[in-house]
Structure formats: structure tokens, C-alpha cells
């Protein structure tokens, strides 16, 4: 009975309020209801309460947050990248190398730290430049004729060892590193092949 009274007295106000509420809910739907898929976790950023929440990680499933806050979703799965690197050797000649590497972010308590230090684009900001720099640093110390006799796995292991050191305290794990192609300059390659032919 009392509900009918209120309804008849304030019918227009109630309808307008409900319409405004429905509009706001629809408009901010993706800011309020956040779904974290399988293999991912979320980091909360609170606008009015200290920014990044460092002591809590949000797991898979549906989460309801305030529309002025943000949930940043990170994939915890192993990611793979492929790059080509052109390296200037000690002899002043260029060597081309195709590389493949896999990595993933530190899980659980370190994820907010990763967000604060590198953000969602940590692969492009940190991983890719570090891997290329390590490849250049290691391969650039060899003369091209030495590379011909070296096994790819030896160079690969040296680069991977350097990367494991470089990745310490970065909140990112290097899973593995592979050299898929190593191309010497044609002048060096031809000279070495001629020398081997003469020796034989």
C-alpha cells in the first residue's frame, strides 16, 4: 500500500531516476564489470586510494569495480617473439641472425611491481630491446671467420646466460632463447670455403 502511494506521488521522478541509472550502467558497463579470462590475472589501479594495489592479485572470473578505477589484465602464459638482428663484428662486417625467444611475467606478488615498472607493454619496452642488445653484445665480440667454426648452440648458450643475468629483478622470466639462422657475409663465407677446399 505504501509503495503505491510513493509510486503515484513520485512516478515521474522514479522513472527518470531509473532511466538515468540504466543509462549510466550501460555506459560504464565495461568499467564496472571486468572479466578476467583463463591464464590471466588482474592488477587493480585505484584513482582515489593510492594507485596500484600491491598486496592483491585478481584471479580469473568476473570482478565488479568502481567505474573510476581500472583493472589491468596480464597474460601469465608463455609468449614468443621472433626478431632479425644485424650485428657489426670486430672486423667491421655485418652478420645477420634470426632469433626466437619465449618469456612470461613473474606470477602472483610480483605482478603489481611489473605493472609499476614496465606496464602492459613490457615486452616491447624491456624484453625485445634487452634480447637484441644481448645478441649484439655477445656476437659482436667474435671475428666473422671464428663464427664459421663455432657451433650455434655455443653462441646461443652465451646469449642465454647473459640474458638470465640481465633479467634479474625485472619481474620477467626468460623461458628459452634460440638462434634459428646465422648468416655470415658472403665475402667471408666464400673465403673460408676456398680455404677449406685448398686444405682438403
Amino acid at each position: 500500500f505504501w509503495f503505491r502511494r510513493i509510486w503515484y506521488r513520485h512516478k515521474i521522478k522514479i522513472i527518470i531516476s531509473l532511466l538515468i541509472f540504466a543509462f549510466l550502467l550501460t555506459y560504464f558497463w565495461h568499467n564496472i564489470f571486468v572479466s578476467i579470462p583463463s591464464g590471466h590475472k588482474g592488477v587493480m589501479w585505484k584513482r582515489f586510494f593510492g594507485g596500484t594495489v600491491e598486496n592483491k592479485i585478481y584471479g580469473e572470473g568476473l570482478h565488479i569495480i568502481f567505474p573510476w578505477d581500472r583493472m589491468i589484465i596480464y597474460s601469465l602464459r608463455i609468449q614468443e617473439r621472433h626478431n632479425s638482428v644485424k650485428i657489426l663484428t670486430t672486423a667491421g662486417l655485418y652478420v645477420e641472425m634470426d632469433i626466437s625467444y619465449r618469456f612470461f611475467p613473474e606470477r602472483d606478488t610480483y605482478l603489481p611491481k611489473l605493472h609499476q615498472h614496465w606496464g602492459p607493454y613490457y615486452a616491447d619496452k624491456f624484453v625485445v630491446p634487452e634480447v637484441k642488445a644481448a645478441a649484439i653484445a655477445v656476437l659482436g665480440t667474435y671475428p666473422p671467420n671464428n663464427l664459421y667454426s663455432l657451433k650455434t648452440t655455443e653462441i646461443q648458450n652465451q646469449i642465454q646466460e647473459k640474458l638470465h643475468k640481465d633479467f634479474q629483478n625485472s619481474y620477467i622470466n626468460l623461458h628459452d632463447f634460440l638462434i634459428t639462422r646465422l648468416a655470415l657475409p658472403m665475402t667471408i663465407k666464400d673465403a673460408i670455403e676456398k680455404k677449406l677446399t685448398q686444405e682438403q
Side-chain angles (χ1 to χ4, degrees):
F1 180 72
W2 61 271
F3 178 76
R4 286 183 183 178
R5 276 165 131 198
I6 294 169
W7 172 255
Y8 286 121
R9 275 187 195 175
H10 307 286
K11 184 164 63 173
I12 295 172
K13 289 180 181 178
I14 292 169
I15 291 170
I16 291 169
S17 298
L18 288 171
L19 287 171
I20 291 169
F21 176 77
F23 170 77
L24 290 173
L25 188 64
T26 306
Y27 186 79
F28 291 109
W29 180 270
H30 294 291
N31 293 50
I32 298 170
F33 300 96
V34 180
S35 182
I36 299 177
S38 177
H40 295 67
K41 285 195 177 181
V43 175
M44 175 76 80
W45 180 81
K46 294 190 174 183
R47 189 176 297 275
F48 303 113
F49 297 98
T52 304
V53 177
E54 296 184 41
N55 57 356
K56 186 176 180 182
I57 309 295
Y58 295 80
E60 300 170 9
L62 182 67
H63 299 273
I64 300 170
I65 65 174
F66 291 113
W68 49 82
D69 293 338
R70 281 187 63 208
M71 181 78 80
I72 301 91
I73 299 171
Y74 282 84
S75 172
L76 299 185
R77 294 171 177 168
I78 294 173
Q79 300 176 53
E80 187 173 16
R81 289 288 179 99
H82 305 273
N83 295 113
S84 293
V85 186
K86 204 173 184 180
I87 299 158
L88 184 66
T89 63
T90 53
L93 296 169
Y94 282 100
V95 173
E96 290 183 5
M97 183 168 66
D98 292 343
I99 54 176
S100 172
Y101 48 97
R102 293 188 289 180
F103 56 93
F104 58 91
E106 289 276 8
R107 271 84 177 207
D108 301 326
T109 54
Y110 291 105
L111 203 56
K113 292 287 183 187
L114 173 67
H115 178 67
Q116 287 179 321
H117 281 78
W118 301 110
Y121 304 106
Y122 67 90
D124 295 318
K125 288 180 180 178
F126 176 79
V127 178
V128 175
E130 284 293 322
V131 170
K132 286 184 176 180
I136 291 167
V138 171
L139 209 64
T141 59
Y142 289 100
N145 54 337
N146 284 13
L147 292 172
Y148 195 85
S149 58
L150 271 174
K151 290 181 180 178
T152 307
T153 50
E154 289 178 33
I155 305 167
Q156 195 170 275
N157 291 339
Q158 287 180 38
I159 296 171
Q160 190 161 352
E161 190 179 334
K162 177 170 171 47
L163 284 171
H164 280 303
K165 290 176 184 175
D166 294 343
F167 273 51
Q168 284 179 355
N169 304 318
S170 68
Y171 313 108
I172 303 161
N173 284 311
L174 181 73
H175 187 263
D176 57 25
F177 174 89
L178 297 169
I179 296 172
T180 55
R181 184 180 72 94
L182 185 61
L184 293 171
M186 286 305 296
T187 51
I188 296 293
K189 195 174 180 183
D190 291 343
I192 292 168
E193 285 177 355
K194 281 179 185 177
K195 187 180 177 182
L196 290 172
T197 304
Q198 288 171 358
E199 286 175 357
Q200 287 174 0

